[in-house]
Amino acid sequence: MQAVISAAYDKKMMQEARAAGCRTAGEAQGFIEQKRKKEAEENAQRAKESMQAGPAGKLLPKPNHLDSSPHGAVKCSTIFHPGGNDSSPMIAKQAISSTLDEWDIAGFQGADLLSESDKRLCCELRILPAHYLNMLHIMSIEITKGTVANKTDAHSLFKVESSKVDRVYDMLVKKGIAQA
């Protein structure tokens, strides 16, 4: 899926480079890199503008960070923060990230089973509703068995970033299924 998105994005970028007057592959690559840098700067600026100071000076997203469509679909924004060098993998990640600025989970299997807070979490973590529900199910079972007593115990259950497991575990705490 990401390869298809990336290929479509690359094709669009090449067409824009051609329309901007680029005649060689080198000129097109330079144009594309400049455009991606500009998009990254704009995204960073939007991130700054969409954050507000919370308790203890921590930055929190503004409450209107998420938009709900009339059909109940939740659309989420994500911001890519580039860093370090401009290697090919970084450019590919940036290309994918900028094409997925808004992610609507309404059409995915299991989305209709989620509460609004669950939908927001799926968007923030960028996980499919079915995967989120599976994580909730497995963690709930393991918590009930007593094999998972805290976030760290849950990390080994899934092959995803530990921060995502932590956030799902926090949701179980919020729902009263797990202990803080």
Side-chain angles (χ1 to χ4, degrees):
M1 179 70 174
Q2 289 180 349
V4 172
I5 292 170
S6 181
Y9 181 79
D10 289 343
K11 182 178 178 182
K12 178 183 174 219
M13 292 300 290
M14 291 301 288
Q15 288 172 343
E16 287 181 25
R18 194 175 306 131
C22 298
R23 297 184 187 275
T24 66
E27 289 175 348
Q29 189 62 32
F31 172 82
I32 291 169
E33 286 178 18
Q34 278 299 108
K35 184 167 174 85
R36 288 180 178 158
K37 284 180 185 177
K38 182 179 175 187
E39 287 174 356
E41 289 170 3
E42 289 171 357
N43 286 342
Q45 183 63 32
R46 272 183 268 168
K48 285 181 185 177
E49 292 170 0
S50 70
M51 299 302 263
Q52 64 185 8
K58 293 183 180 178
L59 291 179
L60 302 171
K62 287 185 179 176
N64 63 356
H65 189 247
L66 300 176
D67 300 316
S68 290
S69 74
H71 304 290
V74 176
K75 293 182 180 179
C76 304
S77 295
T78 188
I79 288 130
F80 180 76
H81 298 285
N85 56 15
D86 284 332
S87 63
S88 298
M90 181 62 81
I91 292 171
K93 285 181 184 176
Q94 186 177 3
I96 291 168
S97 177
S98 63
T99 60
L100 297 176
D101 282 345
E102 289 191 5
W103 200 47
D104 184 0
I105 64 167
F108 291 109
Q109 183 179 12
D112 56 326
L113 303 173
L114 300 177
S115 67
E116 288 303 311
S117 59
D118 289 329
K119 289 177 183 178
R120 280 192 297 273
L121 184 59
C122 284
C123 287
E124 290 171 14
L125 299 179
R126 295 194 132 337
I127 58 176
L128 295 172
H131 293 165
Y132 173 73
L133 289 168
N134 188 45
M135 289 177 76
L136 287 177
H137 178 74
I138 291 171
M139 274 195 231
S140 298
I141 290 172
E142 295 303 316
I143 289 168
T144 306
K145 283 184 190 176
T147 55
V148 171
N150 55 43
K151 292 178 187 181
T152 310
D153 296 338
H155 292 173
S156 63
L157 298 174
F158 308 100
K159 293 182 179 181
V160 296
E161 296 171 21
S162 58
S163 62
K164 291 182 180 186
V165 175
D166 290 348
R167 296 280 306 274
V168 174
Y169 187 89
D170 289 340
M171 184 60 81
L172 287 173
V173 169
K174 184 177 174 183
K175 292 178 184 223
I177 296 170
Q179 298 277 332

